[in-house]
Amino acid sequence: MGGLMPLNPEGLDPDPIRQLAAWLADAEASGLPLANAFALATADGDGQPSVRFVLLRGLDADGLRWYTNRASRKGRDVAINPWASAAFWWPALDRQARVAGPVRLLSEEESSAYWRSRPRGSQLSATVSEQGREIESRAALEARVAALAASSPGELPLPPTWGGYRLVPRLIEFWASRSDRLHDRVEYRRGGDESWHRRRLQP
């Protein structure tokens, strides 16, 4: 598929967000596990980068949405340096997609709506975990979850340090592998007039 057919810029959707949605649909239809996972790169105030995988929880004209602990490393990074890059990799299709742009907080209403859709186990874990901080043992972590589950049998409220983010694309690049390593790359950049400008890049 991706690596067998030349990637023709004129054959792609003029709107790169719609094109990204189409590639995501292809990846999901192919049966790839976690097709919505992407590597999220952030940097702190000193420019020190860090990267981790998160799950895409929404894609629309406004950008990519994900949810996390806002006291985590990524949350602290974007609070200081509100720009990020995302990279999707779908090996069975020989495709990659890259997105870069500023990051915005989702509203409490949006975060609460998604929070209520999560399984109780996920809510318990997110409430208990001080993401990225040291803990003495796995048993201690599980004990915290058990204590919360026992003390709060009803619906858990949205934790004050947990919520959603939106990556607003200013750049989206589509990459398709070729066996001779002369890969196809098509980049879209958003101009000052907010329109998208498309061009082919050398591999």
Side-chain angles (χ1 to χ4, degrees):
M1 295 191 56
L4 301 178
M5 298 289 291
L7 194 61
N8 183 358
E10 290 70 32
L12 298 177
D13 197 298
D15 183 331
I17 296 177
R18 288 199 302 260
Q19 184 63 55
L20 180 59
W23 275 24
L24 277 162
D26 288 346
E28 290 168 354
S30 75
L32 278 171
L34 297 178
N36 63 327
F38 65 92
L40 176 70
T42 59
D44 64 17
D46 295 324
Q48 182 175 344
S50 61
V51 66
R52 77 291 289 162
F53 280 90
V54 299
L55 296 178
L56 180 71
R57 293 307 189 187
L59 175 65
D60 56 29
D62 294 324
L64 290 68
R65 296 192 302 278
W66 79 93
Y67 297 83
T68 190
N69 187 320
R70 289 178 173 167
S72 65
R73 168 68 185 270
K74 54 189 170 298
R76 297 195 307 272
D77 280 358
V78 298
I80 297 169
N81 181 3
W83 285 77
S85 291
F88 294 89
W89 167 227
W90 301 295
L93 302 180
D94 291 331
R95 289 175 175 174
Q96 294 183 52
R98 189 167 64 90
V99 184
V103 176
R104 307 282 184 257
L105 291 177
L106 294 182
S107 68
E108 185 171 350
E109 291 75 19
E110 289 175 285
S111 295
S112 293
Y114 178 70
W115 175 260
R116 290 191 297 270
S117 75
R118 304 188 86 205
R120 178 170 168 80
S122 298
Q123 291 184 351
L124 288 166
S125 297
T127 301
V128 162
S129 176
E130 299 177 19
Q131 194 175 103
R133 297 185 182 275
E134 184 178 2
I135 193 165
E136 60 270 25
S137 68
R138 172 81 189 185
L141 189 60
E142 291 176 347
R144 286 187 188 180
V145 171
L148 179 61
S151 65
S152 303
E155 182 177 346
L156 292 171
L158 176 72
T161 59
W162 197 93
Y165 294 87
R166 185 188 308 278
L167 173 57
V168 182
R170 305 301 299 181
L171 177 149
I172 302 180
E173 181 186 316
F174 298 93
W175 178 98
S177 173
R178 303 298 298 276
S179 59
D180 59 6
R181 315 306 293 171
L182 201 64
H183 307 308
D184 286 316
R185 294 176 63 187
V186 178
E187 179 194 79
Y188 294 71
R189 283 186 179 271
R190 198 189 289 273
D193 60 355
E194 294 302 304
S195 63
W196 288 103
H197 303 276
R198 181 174 47 184
R199 62 179 183 164
R200 177 182 287 277
L201 301 179
Q202 299 180 58

